[in-house]
Amino acid sequence: MLKAEGLSKQFFRKGRESARYFDAVSSCDLEISSGEVVVLSGRSGSGKSTLLNMLAGLLMPTEGSVELDGRSLYELDDKALSSLRNASFGVIPQGQTAVHSLSVIENVKLPYELYRTDDAAEEKAMTLLEEMGIANLADSFSSELSGGELRRMAIARALMCDPAYVFADEPTADLDDENTAIVLDLLKHVAESGTSVFLVTHESGAARIADRILRMEAGNLTSA
Ligand SMILES: Nc1ncnc2c1ncn2[C@@H]1O[C@H](COP(=O)(O)OP(=O)(O)OP(=O)(O)O)[C@@H](O)[C@H]1O
Ligand SMILES: [Mg+2]
């Protein structure tokens, strides 16, 4: 179980006339259980990515805590947090994050090989690429892929270490309807195997895969 309590993030913004701190996320409480698909939507700038990054162990909150199975993420040292993230969390970040100098399969294997020395990576990555329908692109460079193919590669990479939680930040942005449906179906499939999915999206069609829909308004989390 992933549990966030009183989670807040303040950022500093320098304006033309003044500079001030503001709450990008204010006192959010949230629990996500196994296999649950939680969909978060809300206006641009409302704090969705900030919340996702704090839940995923990537951004230290100003206040509050995130606990994974009773372990408080931000009380761990960097090394312990990185290794917990690698073992338990898969992140599909907003925007493109492919390493262009690597092939598709090398991109997918990367998180696995950072922490493991066994030789299971190749076969595992290939299986995931098959599930994503892009096995034929395994040896292409990521710079040669379409937007939809890159998203599917990012999902495969996020699943490489069998995470208990997947955090997907607008994984269907810039995709056409067909690819949007493919990505949503894949995430649903991931959840059916017991992985929790936290999905930030503007896509109204995402409601069909959601167990719970939340909204973010100016840093405040509410049930939709
Ligand atoms: N590192 C930062 N420093 C200062 N302000 C930041 C920083 N990161 C985000 N912000 C601000 O915090 C607010 C929330 O940003 P966030 O990226 O969480 O929004 P979002 O809901 O994900 O938006 P979008 O739908 O456009 O992705 C925005 O006003 C943004 O400008
Ligand atoms: Mg965002």
Side-chain angles (χ1 to χ4, degrees), residues 49 94 169-170:
S49 295
Q94 190 165 17
D169 198 347
E170 313 228 19

Side-chain angles (χ1 to χ4, degrees), residues 33-39 92 131-132 155 159 166 168 171-172 179-199 205-213:
S33 27
S34 1
E36 194 179 17
V37 180
V38 177
V39 168
I92 305 161
E131 281 174 30
M132 300 300 140
I155 297 176
L159 297 177
V166 166
T172 62
N179 276 292
T180 294
I182 290 171
V183 167
L184 292 176
D185 287 340
L186 287 170
L187 291 172
K188 182 70 188 165
H189 181 66
V190 166
E192 280 163 0
S193 67
T195 300
S196 309
V197 176
F198 184 80
L199 169 61
R208 73 175 164 85
I209 69 159
D211 295 309
R212 192 148 47 111
I213 301 179

Side-chain angles (χ1 to χ4, degrees), residues 17-87:
E17 265 129 50
S18 63
R20 64 180 182 92
Y21 285 97
F22 72 101
D23 289 331
V25 171
S26 309
S27 308
C28 288
D29 297 322
L30 180 64
E31 284 180 15
I32 307 174
S33 27
S34 1
E36 194 179 17
V37 180
V38 177
V39 168
L40 175 64
S41 59
R43 291 174 57 174
S44 178
S46 59
K48 305 181 300 295
S49 295
T50 305
L51 176 63
L52 179 143
N53 288 329
M54 289 194 289
L55 293 173
L58 293 165
L59 180 68
M60 168 92 85
T62 311
E63 275 177 76
S65 63
V66 180
E67 279 184 13
L68 174 66
D69 302 328
R71 291 176 81 192
S72 185
L73 300 192
Y74 295 101
E75 285 172 18
L76 299 171
D77 62 32
D78 275 1
K79 205 173 157 200
L81 177 56
S82 300
S83 124
L84 177 147
R85 268 203 324 255
N86 186 268

